[in-house]
Amino acid sequence: MKFKTIYLLAILFLAVGCHQKNTIDPLRRSRVDGLNKEAFLNRYRDPEQCLSLSDSALQYIADSLPEYDDGVFRALNNKAFAYFQTTRYPEALKLVEIIENGAPETKSANADIELVIAHLLKARLLQRSGNIADSYRLLHDIEHSHTLDRSRNNLLYNYAQSEYYITSLVLNYHYRNGREADVQQLLEEVEARRSELRVDYAQDMALNYALAYGWQTAGESLIALDYCDYNLDILDLPDAFCNYHYANTLQMMASVLKTIPGSVPPDSVLALYDEARLRFADYGDPYQMLGGVTSTARYALLIGDTNKAHNILADWRSDRGTWKPFAAPKMELGYFDVLLRSRMASTPDEARRWYEHHCELQDYIDAAGREDFELQQTLADATHRSRWTTRTAMIVSIMLVLMLILTIQLWISARRLRREKRQLEEANRRDIERIANVETALSVMRHDISPFVGYLANPHLPSDLREEVVSQLVRTFDNLKQWTSLSLPQGMAFNASTFTVQSVFDEVEQQVPTPSTGVAMCFQHSDLRLWGDRALVVILIRNLVGNALKHTTEGSVTVDAASAEEGRMVHLRVTDTGCGMSAEQQEALFRADRTLPEGSEHGFGLILCRYIVRRHDDFTLRGCRIWVESIPGKGTTVHCLLAAPKH
């Protein structure tokens, strides 16, 4: 009744999918951990006590600590192992299934490793039932899940790793009769990690026994005996003795010694087998008891002690006549083999029944062996394909990365080459412009200075007109000085400030020559402000006004300003009613690399204006620009957009 209550509580607990909480009462938790630890320590020595302690832990969790998932998993695994040790396989399998269903639904810290421990026990159960293919699949899945590779350096992980190696060794040296080529590799791997797998004395002895059996199967009997001696040394320690491990060690020693000719007398080997059989009987595990009976009787027959064999087999048949067939096919096969060899059948029909059952067991084991072999081949092929795919993917990935790196390098190189090409083209353009500037300056200087030179050569030129000519020459040479500065590598200096448009108009009005008769000069008042180099803006407006006066014989020259582009820019205009320009003249007007059409009287002043505007745009990045609108015979308007101060 108590077992059923605890079992139902565990199912209910895991079915609702409880999750590990961050705050668990430490005192209650320590109570559960203490019960689970005591149960774990008694898993080999006293399985019934292990069951009782595990039930107490589950009951306490159900009553006082329902959120402690880790405690539930530990108690269930302890119980499952105790059932396994006492050959109650269905009960053990039910608890494993509870853990399988509950672990993925929780967030407990140890759910993943407890699930691995449960699967390892399931693999042992499958081995005993003869289903070694599914057992191997479980071990294969555990290995490839890499759960045991993420060591947390605690006893639970060490226990799981130790159980993994024990289960793998048992599968390879016992249920496959040591036929697998990887037995040696497995043994060497366990030896290399032996120091990392320490848990408690019981686990040490279980692993030593597995290693002893493995090395014996590999033909290394002396190494196997060393591990038996290790176990005997442990069993001499206080509180370390356990009938189960003692019987296992004695039986292992007898199995090894009989393979070493002349090592000990046959009677001594038989005495070891017989002592192990009696210890297994005291322990009470039917599976181990059958193993002890079979091993002892087989060796007694081997050395000719038929009576001893008959007595042992008769006692077992009398006490265990209700043994269920196929509960442990491998062990049963050995038992019926010994029965047939003993010739103790009372009737031919009884001997025939033994033989038929022996054949059924052998067929069952052979079929399981073939299934296991096919599974190994399938998984090996899958692993090979997976490795090939992985290697191929890695090679392709590396090639793609290399191609990407090469592509990036080529792109960077191409970008650098394009940048260098643009720099060379820009440098070449500047060189062309500078050459054109010099040629234009010389041409304009010849054109603009020649009339003044002619005036000054006239000895009858009035003094006031001579002063006006000299003033014009001075302004012309000033423009030439500004022009030639553009050909220097650093270009014009730029001294930025905020100033009023009206101050520029006033200064220019004082500098320009008096218009000829019939021409009106008008600077319209403006309250707008500009941001830029005031001196350059004065040169800009002065050159535009001077050029307009030069080509206007009647009418007017008007200079005004207006706000543009929502106050971001100031629109300056110089409008005249002069001769105007053709489209061809307008196209070449602001370009130093183009020769003005023959007969044109426009000089380098407008080219200088274009550089001044571009200089402002370089510093303000507002889209400063200059352009012209002109109709031949009606006049010209030159437009300039310059930056207004930022608000």
Side-chain angles (χ1 to χ4, degrees):
M1 181 64 182
K2 186 177 181 181
F3 167 75
K4 291 182 179 179
T5 301
I6 300 299
Y7 180 69
L8 290 174
L9 284 170
I11 293 177
L12 178 62
F13 171 79
L14 293 173
V16 298
C18 294
H19 297 300
Q20 191 77 28
K21 295 184 179 179
N22 294 327
T23 56
I24 295 179
D25 188 322
L27 293 178
R28 294 179 179 180
R29 175 174 176 166
S30 64
R31 169 67 175 167
V32 174
D33 291 345
L35 290 169
N36 280 334
K37 182 178 180 181
E38 283 298 314
F40 180 76
L41 293 175
N42 280 281
R43 66 194 185 281
Y44 283 111
R45 183 184 301 168
D46 191 348
E48 294 300 332
Q49 179 69 4
C50 176
L51 288 171
S52 176
L53 290 166
S54 299
D55 285 339
S56 297
L58 288 171
Q59 186 65 64
Y60 187 84
I61 292 171
D63 293 341
S64 306
L65 207 61
E67 68 271 23
Y68 190 22
D69 296 0
D70 281 334
V72 173
F73 292 135
R74 189 84 295 275
L76 292 177
N77 263 326
N78 281 336
K79 284 193 68 173
F81 192 87
Y83 282 139
F84 172 76
Q85 282 298 105
T86 53
T87 321
R88 285 179 272 184
Y89 301 152
E91 290 89 341
L93 189 57
K94 286 180 182 179
L95 294 179
V96 168
E97 290 173 351
I98 292 174
I99 296 172
E100 287 178 331
N101 293 329
E105 302 297 325
T106 69
K107 294 181 180 179
S108 65
N110 297 321
D112 57 344
I113 199 64
E114 291 287 8
L115 181 60
V116 167
I117 292 171
H119 281 158
L120 288 169
L121 182 60
K122 187 176 183 178
R124 300 271 284 274
L125 290 167
L126 291 168
Q127 289 172 7
R128 287 196 177 181
S129 67
N131 191 349
I132 58 176
D134 285 346
S135 176
Y136 174 68
R137 183 186 293 277
L138 268 177
L139 291 172
H140 178 274
D141 292 344
I142 290 171
E143 179 186 5
H144 287 79
S145 72
H146 302 293
T147 303
L148 295 179
D149 296 339
R150 300 190 296 271
S151 177
R152 299 176 189 172
N153 195 28
N154 61 30
L155 291 180
L156 192 62
Y157 259 73
N158 293 348
Y159 173 65
Q161 290 168 333
S162 177
E163 280 294 295
Y164 170 77
Y165 285 121
I166 290 172
T167 308
S168 298
L169 285 167
V170 169
L171 174 66
N172 281 282
Y173 69 62
H174 183 66
Y175 291 99
R176 288 175 177 163
N177 298 319
R179 293 192 301 263
E180 300 304 311
D182 57 354
V183 173
Q184 184 79 21
Q185 180 181 350
L186 179 61
L187 287 166
E188 291 173 355
E189 182 179 341
V190 179
E191 292 285 2
R193 302 193 60 184
R194 187 70 180 87
S195 61
E196 305 172 16
L197 306 176
R198 299 302 303 273
V199 179
D200 62 359
Y201 292 144
Q203 198 66 20
D204 283 350
M205 287 187 283
L207 187 56
N208 286 342
Y209 174 79
L211 285 167
Y213 213 147
W215 282 117
Q216 183 202 22
T217 304
E220 299 289 345
S221 298
L222 294 180
I223 299 178
L225 279 178
D226 286 340
Y227 278 109
C228 292
D229 288 340
Y230 296 156
N231 273 0
L232 292 176
D233 291 340
I234 295 173
L235 290 165
D236 284 339
L237 296 173
D239 299 324
F241 187 82
C242 171
N243 260 329
Y244 174 82
H245 288 301
Y246 185 58
N248 256 341
T249 302
L250 293 180
Q251 186 171 270
M252 186 73 252
M253 289 183 67
S255 178
V256 175
L257 289 171
K258 75 178 183 181
T259 64
I260 306 176
S263 57
V264 293
D267 289 345
S268 298
V269 175
L270 181 61
L272 289 174
Y273 272 123
D274 206 31
E275 179 67 15
R277 177 181 66 86
L278 295 174
R279 293 289 183 172
F280 280 133
D282 291 340
Y283 186 71
D285 177 1
Y287 177 85
Q288 299 295 346
M289 291 167 66
L290 178 60
V293 167
T294 301
S295 299
T296 307
R298 180 186 291 112
Y299 188 72
L301 291 174
L302 180 65
I303 64 174
D305 194 342
T306 305
N307 290 333
K308 178 71 171 178
H310 284 186
N311 291 335
I312 292 171
L313 292 171
D315 289 343
W316 172 257
R317 294 181 65 203
S318 174
D319 294 339
R320 297 286 173 175
T322 58
W323 177 267
K324 296 179 181 180
F326 292 91
K330 182 79 173 181
M331 190 71 76
E332 292 176 54
L333 181 67
Y335 171 67
F336 281 101
D337 180 68
V338 170
L339 280 178
L340 290 170
R341 291 176 184 274
S342 68
R343 301 179 182 273
M344 59 180 296
S346 57
T347 64
D349 287 341
E350 185 176 34
R352 185 174 62 254
R353 287 196 301 273
W354 291 352
Y355 178 74
E356 289 174 351
H357 196 49
H358 181 275
C359 291
E360 290 175 359
L361 288 167
Q362 187 65 62
D363 290 343
Y364 180 83
I365 291 172
D366 289 344
R370 288 192 296 271
E371 184 181 357
D372 175 55
F373 178 78
E374 291 172 359
L375 177 62
Q376 289 182 68
Q377 293 298 112
T378 300
L379 293 178
D381 291 343
T383 301
H384 176 73
R385 287 194 300 271
S386 176
R387 289 175 180 172
W388 183 87
T389 303
T390 302
R391 285 195 295 267
T392 302
M394 288 179 62
I395 293 172
V396 172
S397 299
I398 291 172
M399 292 179 65
L400 289 175
V401 170
L402 291 175
M403 290 177 64
L404 178 61
I405 293 172
L406 181 60
T407 302
I408 292 173
Q409 289 179 339
L410 290 174
W411 178 77
I412 292 173
S413 299
R415 187 177 180 184
R416 184 175 62 250
L417 289 173
R418 286 195 298 269
R419 185 171 62 250
E420 291 174 354
K421 181 181 179 182
R422 286 195 300 269
Q423 291 172 349
L424 289 172
E425 289 175 347
E426 179 65 19
N428 186 50
R429 185 189 63 78
R430 290 177 180 175
D431 289 341
I432 292 172
E433 281 196 357
R434 287 168 183 157
I435 294 170
N437 290 343
V438 174
E439 292 176 348
T440 304
L442 293 174
S443 175
V444 172
M445 184 172 62
R446 182 181 67 252
H447 179 273
D448 288 356
I449 294 177
S450 295
F452 299 127
V453 174
Y455 290 143
L456 293 176
N458 185 358
H460 305 292
L461 188 68
S463 59
D464 57 342
L465 188 55
R466 185 180 295 277
E467 290 178 1
E468 179 68 22
V469 171
V470 171
S471 176
Q472 289 288 352
L473 277 174
V474 170
R475 283 194 292 271
T476 300
F477 281 114
D478 183 57
N479 283 338
L480 283 172
K481 181 180 71 174
Q482 295 292 339
W483 176 263
T484 54
S485 69
L486 293 174
S487 297
L488 298 176
Q490 68 271 19
M492 284 183 173
F494 192 89
N495 300 311
S497 65
T498 300
F499 51 92
T500 63
V501 173
Q502 191 59 44
S503 67
V504 174
F505 285 177
D506 292 342
E507 183 172 345
V508 172
E509 189 174 9
Q510 295 176 5
Q511 294 179 1
V512 296
T514 303
S516 60
T517 305
V519 178
M521 179 78 236
C522 178
F523 286 88
Q524 294 187 0
H525 181 78
S526 175
D527 293 327
L528 296 175
R529 299 169 65 83
L530 283 168
W531 187 90
D533 189 319
R534 186 180 179 280
L536 293 181
V537 175
V538 169
I539 296 172
L540 169 68
I541 301 300
R542 189 180 67 204
N543 278 321
L544 293 178
V545 171
N547 192 69
L549 290 172
K550 186 176 180 180
H551 296 87
T552 303
T553 58
E554 59 181 358
S556 64
V557 174
T558 304
V559 183
D560 65 350
S563 179
E565 296 186 8
E566 299 180 350
R568 293 178 60 255
M569 308 294 287
V570 175
H571 186 183
L572 301 172
R573 290 178 298 184
V574 178
T575 305
D576 65 61
T577 59
C579 60
M581 289 178 285
S582 65
E584 185 181 5
Q585 289 173 320
Q586 292 179 47
E587 184 182 355
L589 191 62
F590 298 107
R591 299 183 59 178
D593 59 342
R594 294 287 297 274
T595 302
L596 291 167
E598 187 176 354
S600 173
E601 296 182 354
H602 294 283
F604 64 88
L606 291 179
I607 301 173
L608 178 60
C609 291
R610 178 240 186 182
Y611 276 95
I612 291 173
V613 173
R614 192 174 68 179
R615 193 73 170 160
H616 276 73
D617 189 53
D618 289 342
F619 278 86
T620 64
L621 300 177
R622 297 276 194 92
C624 300
R625 59 190 184 275
I626 183 171
W627 72 99
V628 66
E629 294 176 350
S630 183
I631 300 175
K634 292 186 178 182
T636 301
T637 299
V638 180
H639 303 267
C640 295
L641 273 182
L642 298 180
K646 293 183 179 178
H647 296 294

